[in-house]
Structure formats: structure tokens, C-alpha cells
Amino acid sequence: MQLSDAHISPSGTRYWRAGQGEPVVLIHGVGLDATMWQAQMTALAADYDVIAYDMLGHGESPLPAENATLDDYADQLATLLDELAVPAATVAGFSMGGLVARAFALRHPRHLRAMVVLSSVFDRNERQRSGVRQRLAQTREQGPAANVDGALERWFSPAFRQAQPECIAAVRERVTSNHPDGYYRSYALFGTEDDFGADRLASIRVPVLVATGELDPGSTPDMAHKLARQLPDARVYILEGQRHMAPVEAADQVNDLLLDFLDTVHRPSLQKERLG
């Protein structure tokens, strides 16, 4: 499936939609856009109504306000679901998208069926905070291209970067072509809000899958376990040998993981559809 047939919602959000069944929403990471989910849309659309959209400040969606918070990003998703007449969905967020998913779960719980937090951040230590503050300062001064080379090294394994130069070039182009204001405002939230809503996480009572790469230096396995311990109904999965961009580098493995989780959450309705 090629993500070529994009739509623009009445509120201005660019999105793609494919398949039928229980709704599943995919939220990309900072500096990227919904096209990162191409492999997941292809795999999930056989059984699910899959929606992938551009966050505020990314792709062709509107810029966030200068003082935007994660709640504004959560509200963007709630508005999109209302516009698409989707009452509730499973929401899967990657990296910053995981923070938006958490904000959505806290702010719009009636619209959430289940949640996936993939390669996302929680409770950074001081060394990690210092590193992201430095990258944020570089972004303010130099724009989206400031630290893209270091990002690509963190995101992909050396073997993948060597074997898939066209993919790496496409990701580089996507990051560096971001609107400077949209990118910086989003990155600032990603860089500072890793503990967003930490004191309220126990109120998220839907099934949650928390997963990350074994070798992800920014969204570590320790973070995944710490986040899951704050959630009443969470499981953790560590993708062996993977870095940050597992949905791209290990698409088949991530697809199997998502389908297994979704089947557990939605099995009764799926079985009815398959038998009917």
C-alpha cells in the first residue's frame, strides 16, 4: 500500500485511512509524518480501520500555537475522530506520538479503547535530559537540520543505514523539510514533557502495550518498564537488537506485535466478523 491518497479534515489535519473494522489510530514521532506508518497500515488494514495523521506542525497539518501544550496535540486527535465519526479507538503513538497518546488517554478517556506506546520516553535521567536540552538549543539556532545526522545514527542500526540508503535519505529529507516553528515547538514538548501526567497515569485503565528497542538510547527498555509499572493494565515488550525506528527497520516484527495486541483487545468482535 502506498500512502498516496491523503485527505484533509475540516479542521485542517492531513490523514490517511484504510481498511475496516475496529478503529486504530497511528501517531508518528517528532520531525516525521504519517507516511512513516506505511508498512503498519498495509498490515493492519486487513482487519482494522486504520487512521494515520500528521501531528500539529508536521506534514500538511496546521502549526501549533507558540504556547502549545501536549493537550493541544491530544485535542487535535479528538477533533479528528469527531470529524470522522469515530467514537473510540485504539491509539498507537511512536516516540513523541507516545506522549500525545498519553495526553489523549488522560484528556479524552471516553474516546480510548486501548493504547500502544512505542519507542517513547518516560522519566529521563539527568544525563538524558542534558542531551536533549543541548539538541533543543541547537534546533532553536539552526532549525530542523541541526542534529539530523546524530538522530539518524540513534534511530537506525549501522547495517540498515548501509543497506537502505534511499530510506535513510527519505527520512533525512522529511526531517530537514519541516517548518522551523512547527518543528521547534513540537521538539520542545518532546524534550521536556517526558513526565507529562505522571501522577495521573494510574487513571488510564485500558489495556496498554509499552514497547521499545533493546538498543534504543533515547527511549530505553528501562523507561518502558518504568512507564508500564505506572499503568494498571500494561504489558512490556522489548524488540531484541532494535534501535529507535523499529516500525521502519523491523516492520514485520512490529506489525506482528501490534496485531497480537490488537487481536487480544478486539478478539470478540474480530471473531464475529470472521465468522459472519
Side-chain angles (χ1 to χ4, degrees), residues 1 4 12 42 46 81 147 166 185 199 205 231 257:
M1 176 188 299
S4 57
T42 301
L81 293 182
N147 42 53
E166 292 183 0
R185 293 168 190 173
D199 59 339
R205 309 199 69 83
L231 298 162
L257 181 64

Side-chain angles (χ1 to χ4, degrees), residues 99-166:
L99 296 180
V100 176
R102 281 163 46 188
F104 181 81
L106 293 168
R107 190 166 173 85
H108 301 283
R110 289 181 294 178
H111 297 299
L112 186 69
R113 179 73 185 274
M115 181 169 68
V116 179
V117 178
L118 178 62
S119 303
S120 196
V121 292
F122 180 68
D123 193 22
R124 290 184 176 104
N125 61 38
E126 185 50 41
R127 179 184 59 79
Q128 293 161 340
R129 292 182 195 279
S130 176
V132 78
R133 283 196 300 265
Q134 182 179 19
R135 293 192 293 273
L136 183 58
Q138 293 169 343
T139 297
R140 182 193 290 274
E141 294 175 0
Q142 304 170 34
N147 42 53
V148 66
D149 290 330
L152 293 171
E153 290 180 3
R154 294 191 304 274
W155 291 357
F156 295 99
S157 70
F160 187 87
R161 296 200 307 273
Q162 182 175 6
Q164 300 290 338
E166 292 183 0

Side-chain angles (χ1 to χ4, degrees), residues 114-118 207-211 233-237 257-258 261:
M115 181 169 68
V116 179
V117 178
L118 178 62
V208 180
L209 170 65
V210 184
D233 186 10
R235 69 186 73 174
V236 177
Y237 190 90
L257 181 64
L258 292 174
F261 176 72

